[in-house]
Amino acid sequence: YTLMPADRPVWWVISQPLAIGLTLLGLVPFGVCLVPMTALFLAIDKTDEFQLINLVCMIKAMCFLQRVLLGLVGLVQLYVSSTSDSCELFAPGLTDLEQLAVLTLLPMQLLCWACLYQ
């Protein structure tokens, strides 16, 4: 009810701390984003097509925002590595976190498919 109320405006949702926390948790691209989306998938009514499509749109929006944030982080890493003396420490894609962020795309897409084929 906190994220998708039927009888409240969007401004009420924005003022709820739980909704803000779940949204920020969904923006973390390192596997943590699966927790609120899976919980929301388990909580919604599977016979209501509007809720399922709304969840798919929410998952796609979260994936898009995660990729924008990762792109900005990569841009900063590229700038830092190009202005420093060594590229071995700060170059984009060297840490395992970026690879983990890419690997979380598959479970998110599988969650979307589970919504569509209920």
Side-chain angles (χ1 to χ4, degrees), residues 2-16:
T2 301
L3 288 176
M4 294 188 291
D7 58 346
R8 300 282 185 173
V10 71
W11 303 111
W12 182 84
V13 175
I14 293 172
S15 68
Q16 297 299 312

Side-chain angles (χ1 to χ4, degrees), residues 73-93:
V73 167
L75 184 66
V76 169
Q77 287 176 343
L78 181 64
Y79 176 74
V80 168
S81 69
S82 65
T83 57
S84 67
D85 291 335
S86 72
C87 293
E88 290 84 19
L89 299 176
F90 300 111

Side-chain angles (χ1 to χ4, degrees), residues 46-99:
K46 307 296 187 297
T47 60
D48 188 7
E49 292 177 2
F50 177 77
Q51 288 183 5
L52 290 171
I53 297 301
N54 195 14
L55 181 64
V56 169
C57 291
M58 190 180 297
I59 290 171
K60 293 295 185 179
M62 289 292 178
C63 285
F64 174 75
L65 290 175
Q66 288 172 358
R67 300 307 146 209
V68 167
L69 288 174
L70 284 175
L72 291 175
V73 167
L75 184 66
V76 169
Q77 287 176 343
L78 181 64
Y79 176 74
V80 168
S81 69
S82 65
T83 57
S84 67
D85 291 335
S86 72
C87 293
E88 290 84 19
L89 299 176
F90 300 111
L94 288 181
T95 64
D96 292 334
L97 292 177
E98 285 96 359
Q99 296 169 1

